[in-house]
Amino acid sequence: MAENQRPANTVRGVVVSCIIATAVIAILVFAISLTKPPTSHATPFDSHGFDYFALQEAASAKNAEHSELIRQEASESAQKTGSIDWKTEQRSTPAARDRVSTDLFVFDLPSYWSNRVNIVYGDDGSASVYANGFPEASLVTMKIVDAPSSAIESSTEASSAIPAAEGDPDTALVFSKELGNGKRAELWMTNFAWIVFDINLPEATPEGWHADLLDESVADELIDLQTLGTVPAEKIIQPAQADGTQFETQVDWENAVNEIIPTIEVK
């Protein structure tokens, strides 16, 4: 009887062992499943039509546009301010090269002459203005002279009726002002327009610096300065060479001095 029970016990033990083994395996499988990383699945971003990257690009473009607008406005403002400052300075104080100034007198030069002339101050208190590259004769000269007799007093405008210097028909006195103590300030103009006409007459025999004016480029520069650009040299030269007919630009000879005279201040 005891021998019959052993097989039964043996079978029961095997079954229990299998159950335990199965349980252990199940527990191990479950434990392993817990430590395994979850499978990654790409899930589309449901933005309901919202494009984040496009919005970011649009915002960047808008910021760039705004920055450029600010830069342009700042640049325009700086240019405008600089222009206003420059114009204000030009109105208030002429540049040194455009103003003749001594202890006895001052006067301004025409803006048309800017950077085209040189100012030479003499030891005798005079001041002469020469065209660049032509130091032989001045465009205008202000000088201090003895005044034993009255001259044209405080002239405020140039006039072809004002007498030329004695023995020198090339120049004309265009302004005179008594300084006291027997002295007088005088402004003289060299009439290059008339000289160019005279030396181009058929019978003319120019000498010295007059002959230099036969070069039309030299003559044109000096006449251009004297007339403030209103008379080209050819309009003077051609009539003189043709028949000696007087050219009709008398008033233009005085354009430059008509700008200078109102600015003269005698101290």
Side-chain angles (χ1 to χ4, degrees):
M1 189 73 177
E3 291 178 357
N4 291 336
Q5 289 178 347
R6 277 181 194 168
N9 292 334
T10 300
V11 172
R12 189 180 301 114
V14 171
V15 172
V16 171
S17 297
C18 289
I19 293 171
I20 293 172
T22 301
V24 170
I25 292 171
I27 292 171
L28 289 174
V29 170
F30 178 75
I32 292 172
S33 67
L34 291 177
T35 59
K36 183 179 180 180
T39 303
S40 175
H41 298 285
T43 302
F45 176 64
D46 184 13
S47 60
H48 301 288
F50 179 81
D51 192 339
Y52 172 79
F53 296 104
L55 180 62
Q56 191 175 43
E57 290 178 358
S60 297
K62 189 67 176 178
N63 289 337
E65 181 181 354
H66 185 62
S67 298
E68 177 64 16
L69 181 61
I70 293 175
R71 187 194 66 78
Q72 290 179 354
E73 290 178 349
S75 176
E76 292 173 358
S77 177
Q79 291 176 358
K80 185 180 296 184
T81 300
S83 176
I84 292 173
D85 290 343
W86 181 85
K87 291 178 180 178
T88 301
E89 181 180 355
Q90 291 299 307
R91 286 195 300 265
S92 59
T93 306
R97 64 177 179 273
D98 294 333
R99 165 164 283 190
V100 177
S101 179
T102 73
D103 292 337
L104 297 175
F105 56 81
V106 297
F107 60 87
D108 297 335
L109 303 181
S111 58
Y112 191 73
W113 289 7
S114 184
N115 296 317
R116 299 174 64 186
V117 298
N118 292 313
I119 304 170
V120 177
Y121 294 97
D123 294 336
D124 58 356
S126 65
S128 299
V129 183
Y130 294 86
N132 290 342
F134 195 82
E136 287 78 7
S138 65
L139 290 158
V140 293
T141 293
M142 178 76 88
K143 55 187 177 181
I144 308 302
V145 299
D146 293 330
S149 59
S150 61
I152 301 168
E153 175 66 18
S154 303
S155 175
T156 57
E157 62 180 17
S159 170
S160 58
I162 297 176
E166 184 177 355
D168 186 6
D170 299 340
T171 60
L173 176 63
V174 293
F175 174 88
S176 178
K177 177 72 174 180
E178 296 292 340
L179 298 177
N181 298 322
K183 297 294 182 180
R184 184 172 63 242
E186 296 180 348
L187 182 69
W188 290 83
M189 172 189 75
T190 301
N191 196 343
F192 289 106
W194 168 255
I195 297 170
V196 169
F197 176 81
D198 190 54
I199 65 175
N200 279 280
L201 293 172
E203 67 277 11
T205 55
E207 297 178 352
W209 63 265
H210 282 204
D212 295 336
L213 300 182
L214 291 174
D215 183 334
E216 188 169 340
S217 64
V218 175
D220 196 59
E221 175 67 5
L222 294 168
I223 294 171
D224 186 68
L225 290 168
Q226 179 185 344
T227 66
L228 301 184
T230 62
V231 181
E234 63 181 359
K235 286 191 175 182
I236 296 175
I237 296 172
Q238 290 177 358
Q241 292 176 339
D243 54 12
T245 302
Q246 177 71 31
F247 58 98
E248 297 178 0
T249 54
Q250 180 79 15
V251 67
D252 291 327
W253 299 6
E254 300 163 352
N255 284 353
V257 294
N258 279 336
E259 283 200 11
I260 292 172
I261 290 172
T263 71
I264 296 174
E265 296 178 17
V266 178
K267 301 176 182 179

